[in-house]
Amino acid sequence: MPGCCLLLIVLAVPEQDAMDLAARIVARAEAKLGERVGDGSCSGLVSEALREAGARLGAGDSDQPWGRAVDPSEQLRPGDVLVFRDAAFVHRERQRNGAVRTTTARMERHVALVSAVDRQAGAMRITLLHQNAGRPGANDDRRQVVQRWVIDPSEMTEGTVTAYRPLPGDSTQ
């Protein structure tokens, strides 16, 4: 038809965009397992994974560069960023010989990426990707590489954990 044109409008679904972004963030961090990212700091890994995935990064040293705050007990999902402040987790595990092994992990000021959330029978386990973590005094070559840890929020005995959902940047990579 003369004078006719075709107009195609594509609407992005924000939830799907967020899920795609989260998958890219986790993939970028998992690809670095066992490697040192940047200066080996915990924020170095998170910043690089978000930047490479196309997430928006803010400026400054506050927690806000990581995205929109979400409720960690209800809304947490892979790709989210956890900020720990003076947090301590105490894990007790009964050994075969009957002894109880107690492990304490302290995170004074720490940031990590969520790679998985497992909710079963009212319990939650969070799989983290992070670096610059481990026993105080441990060799930096072991601490300052990307590691995978699983934490149980019910084992937190002190401190706070704040969760952030990264936001898409102006253009994704």
Side-chain angles (χ1 to χ4, degrees):
M1 279 185 201
C4 188
C5 64
L6 174 65
L7 176 62
L8 177 64
I9 299 175
V10 178
L11 299 175
V13 180
E15 184 67 19
Q16 185 60 46
D17 288 350
M19 297 300 280
D20 291 346
L21 176 63
R24 287 193 309 270
I25 291 168
V26 172
R28 296 302 198 277
E30 284 183 339
K32 304 289 185 176
L33 276 168
E35 297 178 22
R36 180 180 170 137
V37 176
D39 63 0
S41 68
C42 55
S43 61
L45 167 66
V46 174
S47 295
E48 183 170 311
L50 268 60
R51 182 182 47 75
E52 287 182 0
R56 185 181 316 160
L57 290 177
D61 59 1
S62 71
D63 297 342
Q64 294 305 313
W66 307 121
R68 175 178 58 86
V70 295
D71 180 349
S73 64
E74 306 226 352
Q75 300 172 327
L76 196 65
R77 65 183 187 203
D80 287 347
V81 176
L82 295 182
V83 177
F84 300 88
R85 294 288 180 256
D86 301 316
F89 292 83
V90 178
H91 177 72
R92 290 178 180 81
E93 180 179 5
R94 184 161 304 280
Q95 304 293 303
R96 287 184 181 179
N97 65 3
V100 176
R101 179 180 174 200
T102 302
T103 306
T104 302
R106 297 193 178 279
M107 300 179 199
E108 184 178 317
R109 291 182 56 90
H110 191 63
V111 61
L113 290 166
V114 175
S115 68
V117 180
D118 183 20
R119 292 180 178 91
Q120 292 182 1
M124 180 166 54
R125 300 262 191 272
I126 303 166
T127 303
L128 303 176
L129 295 168
H130 60 160
Q131 67 180 6
N132 201 20
R135 289 190 306 265
N139 183 328
D140 281 349
D141 290 341
R142 295 183 72 189
R143 290 174 43 91
Q144 294 184 331
V145 297
V146 180
Q147 305 169 50
R148 180 180 284 130
W149 283 14
V150 177
I151 62 169
D152 179 344
S154 71
E155 294 176 342
M156 191 168 89
T157 59
E158 60 188 75
T160 61
V161 178
T162 307
Y164 294 93
R165 173 101 5 98
L167 302 170
D170 294 331
S171 64
T172 56
Q173 299 173 348

